[in-house]
Amino acid sequence: ITEEMLRFAHHEQIKNLPQQLAKSQQERKELDGANIFNNAFAGGTLWGDGVVLCSASHPNPTGGAVMSNLLTTPADFSVTSLKAALTQSRKMVDSAGLYLRPTPDLIVSAPDYEFEVDEILHSEKIANSANNNKNSLSRYGLTWYCLTRMTDLDAWFLVFKNRDEARLY
Protein backbone atom coordinates (compact mmCIF):
# COMPACT_ATOMS: atom_id res chain seq x y z
CA ILE A 1 0.00 0.00 0.00
CA THR A 2 1.53 3.27 -1.04
CA GLU A 3 1.23 6.62 0.71
CA GLU A 4 -0.48 8.00 -2.40
CA MET A 5 -3.17 5.32 -2.21
CA LEU A 6 -3.94 6.33 1.36
CA ARG A 7 -3.76 10.07 0.61
CA PHE A 8 -6.16 9.85 -2.34
CA ALA A 9 -8.52 7.43 -0.57
CA HIS A 10 -8.17 4.48 -2.90
CA HIS A 11 -9.81 2.30 -0.27
CA GLU A 12 -11.51 -0.01 -2.79
CA GLN A 13 -8.16 -0.81 -4.41
CA ILE A 14 -6.55 -1.32 -1.01
CA LYS A 15 -9.36 -3.69 0.00
CA ASN A 16 -8.74 -5.86 -3.10
CA LEU A 17 -4.98 -6.19 -2.61
CA PRO A 18 -5.05 -9.33 -0.41
CA GLN A 19 -7.17 -11.23 -2.97
CA GLN A 20 -4.87 -10.12 -5.79
CA LEU A 21 -1.83 -11.22 -3.80
CA ALA A 22 -3.40 -14.64 -3.13
CA LYS A 23 -4.18 -15.04 -6.84
CA SER A 24 -0.62 -14.06 -7.72
CA GLN A 25 0.74 -16.61 -5.24
CA GLN A 26 -1.44 -19.36 -6.74
CA GLU A 27 -0.24 -18.48 -10.25
CA ARG A 28 3.39 -18.60 -9.05
CA LYS A 29 2.88 -22.02 -7.46
CA GLU A 30 1.35 -23.39 -10.66
CA LEU A 31 4.14 -21.93 -12.79
CA ASP A 32 6.83 -23.40 -10.51
CA GLY A 33 5.10 -26.78 -10.59
CA ALA A 34 4.69 -26.67 -14.36
CA ASN A 35 8.36 -25.85 -14.83
CA ILE A 36 9.28 -29.27 -13.44
CA PHE A 37 7.40 -30.79 -16.38
CA ASN A 38 8.32 -28.06 -18.87
CA ASN A 39 12.02 -28.68 -18.20
CA ALA A 40 11.79 -32.47 -17.90
CA PHE A 41 13.52 -33.02 -21.24
CA ALA A 42 15.68 -29.86 -21.24
CA GLY A 43 19.44 -30.28 -21.23
CA GLY A 44 20.04 -27.43 -18.80
CA THR A 45 17.95 -28.81 -15.93
CA LEU A 46 19.88 -31.65 -14.32
CA TRP A 47 18.62 -33.56 -11.31
CA GLY A 48 20.35 -35.42 -8.48
CA ASP A 49 21.75 -38.15 -10.73
CA GLY A 50 23.22 -35.64 -13.19
CA VAL A 51 20.73 -36.11 -16.04
CA VAL A 52 17.44 -34.52 -17.00
CA LEU A 53 14.27 -35.76 -15.29
CA CYS A 54 13.02 -37.71 -18.33
CA SER A 55 15.99 -39.59 -19.71
CA ALA A 56 16.94 -42.92 -21.22
CA SER A 57 20.32 -42.71 -19.49
CA HIS A 58 19.77 -42.46 -15.73
CA PRO A 59 22.92 -43.93 -14.16
CA ASN A 60 22.58 -47.16 -12.25
CA PRO A 61 24.11 -46.71 -8.76
CA THR A 62 25.48 -50.28 -8.85
CA GLY A 63 27.29 -49.65 -12.12
CA GLY A 64 24.98 -51.78 -14.25
CA ALA A 65 23.18 -50.69 -17.39
CA VAL A 66 21.64 -47.23 -17.50
CA MET A 67 17.95 -46.93 -16.64
CA SER A 68 15.18 -45.17 -18.56
CA ASN A 69 11.92 -43.52 -17.57
CA LEU A 70 10.87 -42.76 -21.15
CA LEU A 71 8.60 -44.67 -23.47
CA THR A 72 10.65 -46.91 -25.73
CA THR A 73 9.04 -45.13 -28.69
CA PRO A 74 7.95 -41.56 -27.84
CA ALA A 75 4.26 -41.04 -28.62
CA ASP A 76 1.42 -38.60 -28.16
CA PHE A 77 -1.23 -39.59 -25.63
CA SER A 78 -3.43 -42.45 -26.84
CA VAL A 79 -4.78 -45.80 -25.68
CA THR A 80 -1.71 -47.49 -27.16
CA SER A 81 0.86 -45.14 -25.62
CA LEU A 82 -0.80 -45.26 -22.18
CA LYS A 83 -0.82 -49.07 -22.26
CA ALA A 84 2.85 -49.05 -23.31
CA ALA A 85 3.76 -46.67 -20.45
CA LEU A 86 1.89 -48.76 -17.89
CA THR A 87 3.45 -52.00 -19.15
CA GLN A 88 6.92 -50.49 -19.22
CA SER A 89 6.48 -49.10 -15.70
CA ARG A 90 5.65 -52.57 -14.39
CA LYS A 91 9.08 -53.69 -15.61
CA MET A 92 11.03 -50.93 -13.83
CA VAL A 93 13.73 -52.18 -11.49
CA ASP A 94 15.76 -50.50 -8.78
CA SER A 95 19.56 -50.44 -8.56
CA ALA A 96 19.53 -53.97 -7.09
CA GLY A 97 17.45 -55.32 -9.97
CA LEU A 98 14.29 -55.73 -7.89
CA TYR A 99 10.99 -54.82 -9.52
CA LEU A 100 9.61 -51.54 -8.22
CA ARG A 101 6.02 -52.14 -9.35
CA PRO A 102 5.14 -48.45 -9.06
CA THR A 103 1.47 -47.56 -8.80
CA PRO A 104 0.43 -44.78 -11.18
CA ASP A 105 -1.86 -42.13 -9.73
CA LEU A 106 -2.13 -39.36 -12.20
CA ILE A 107 -1.84 -38.31 -15.81
CA VAL A 108 -0.52 -34.76 -16.16
CA SER A 109 -0.90 -32.89 -19.44
CA ALA A 110 -1.77 -29.58 -21.02
CA PRO A 111 -5.48 -28.88 -21.58
CA ASP A 112 -5.11 -30.15 -25.15
CA TYR A 113 -5.59 -33.79 -24.04
CA GLU A 114 -8.60 -33.22 -21.80
CA PHE A 115 -11.15 -35.03 -23.93
CA GLU A 116 -8.84 -37.89 -24.97
CA VAL A 117 -7.88 -38.58 -21.36
CA ASP A 118 -11.50 -38.49 -20.23
CA GLU A 119 -12.61 -40.87 -22.98
CA ILE A 120 -9.74 -43.28 -22.41
CA LEU A 121 -10.07 -43.40 -18.62
CA HIS A 122 -13.85 -43.37 -18.28
CA SER A 123 -15.23 -45.24 -21.28
CA GLU A 124 -16.80 -48.62 -20.64
CA LYS A 125 -15.28 -49.95 -23.85
CA ILE A 126 -11.90 -49.21 -25.43
CA ALA A 127 -11.95 -45.64 -26.69
CA ASN A 128 -11.42 -44.92 -30.41
CA SER A 129 -11.84 -48.56 -31.38
CA ALA A 130 -14.44 -50.39 -33.44
CA ASN A 131 -13.91 -53.42 -31.21
CA ASN A 132 -16.30 -54.00 -28.36
CA ASN A 133 -13.56 -54.86 -25.84
CA LYS A 134 -13.76 -53.89 -22.19
CA ASN A 135 -11.67 -50.85 -21.22
CA SER A 136 -8.99 -52.44 -19.02
CA LEU A 137 -7.43 -49.03 -18.30
CA SER A 138 -10.31 -48.04 -16.03
CA ARG A 139 -9.09 -50.46 -13.34
CA TYR A 140 -6.03 -48.32 -12.65
CA GLY A 141 -8.14 -45.56 -11.12
CA LEU A 142 -6.01 -42.90 -12.79
CA THR A 143 -7.03 -39.29 -12.56
CA TRP A 144 -6.06 -36.40 -14.78
CA TYR A 145 -4.54 -33.07 -13.85
CA CYS A 146 -4.70 -30.21 -16.34
CA LEU A 147 -1.52 -28.17 -16.17
CA THR A 148 -2.45 -24.98 -17.99
CA ARG A 149 1.12 -23.66 -17.75
CA MET A 150 2.59 -26.62 -19.64
CA THR A 151 4.49 -25.34 -22.67
CA ASP A 152 4.86 -28.62 -24.57
CA LEU A 153 1.25 -29.11 -25.57
CA ASP A 154 1.65 -32.72 -26.68
CA ALA A 155 3.72 -33.88 -23.70
CA TRP A 156 2.08 -36.03 -21.05
CA PHE A 157 3.36 -37.67 -17.90
CA LEU A 158 2.41 -40.52 -15.61
CA VAL A 159 2.94 -39.62 -11.96
CA PHE A 160 3.49 -42.45 -9.50
CA LYS A 161 3.08 -42.94 -5.78
CA ASN A 162 6.22 -43.17 -3.70
CA ARG A 163 8.11 -46.15 -5.09
CA ASP A 164 8.81 -47.57 -1.62
CA GLU A 165 5.07 -47.68 -0.91
CA ALA A 166 4.43 -49.33 -4.27
CA ARG A 167 6.98 -52.12 -3.86
CA LEU A 168 5.44 -55.55 -3.33
CA TYR A 169 7.28 -58.30 -1.46
Side-chain angles (χ1 to χ4, degrees):
I1 299 173
T2 65
E3 186 178 330
E4 287 180 350
M5 290 176 85
L6 290 171
R7 188 180 320 144
F8 295 110
H10 291 219
H11 300 293
E12 201 59 39
Q13 286 179 328
I14 293 170
K15 189 172 83 174
N16 291 331
L17 287 176
Q19 292 88 352
Q20 291 171 354
L21 184 60
K23 184 178 179 182
S24 175
Q25 179 192 22
Q26 186 61 37
E27 287 292 316
R28 181 79 239 174
K29 284 169 54 178
E30 183 166 332
L31 182 59
D32 289 345
N35 281 336
I36 293 170
F37 296 100
N38 290 334
N39 297 322
F41 302 95
T45 307
L46 304 181
W47 291 79
D49 59 0
V51 296
V52 294
L53 183 62
C54 295
S55 173
S57 59
H58 285 284
N60 187 329
T62 61
V66 294
M67 299 181 283
S68 175
N69 62 352
L70 297 172
L71 275 175
T72 305
T73 304
D76 288 345
F77 186 79
S78 67
V79 171
T80 304
S81 62
L82 179 57
K83 284 181 178 180
L86 291 168
T87 300
Q88 191 171 321
S89 72
R90 293 284 189 189
K91 297 177 181 180
M92 289 173 68
V93 294
D94 63 12
S95 59
L98 301 173
Y99 286 103
L100 294 171
R101 295 178 180 87
T103 305
D105 290 314
L106 191 63
I107 296 169
V108 176
S109 79
D112 302 66
Y113 282 133
E114 176 178 7
F115 300 106
E116 288 88 344
V117 172
D118 189 55
E119 288 172 6
I120 290 170
L121 295 183
H122 301 111
S123 295
E124 236 179 79
K125 306 294 180 185
I126 295 177
N128 305 320
S129 170
N131 298 334
N132 201 20
N133 300 352
K134 176 185 170 194
N135 181 4
S136 60
L137 294 169
S138 60
R139 72 184 168 98
Y140 282 91
L142 290 166
T143 56
W144 174 69
Y145 183 76
C146 172
L147 198 53
T148 56
R149 297 285 189 165
M150 189 174 286
T151 55
D152 186 351
L153 302 182
D154 63 351
W156 61 279
F157 301 85
L158 274 181
V159 178
F160 295 84
K161 290 179 182 174
N162 180 310
R163 70 178 181 154
D164 293 327
E165 293 173 6
R167 187 177 293 167
L168 300 176
Y169 294 98

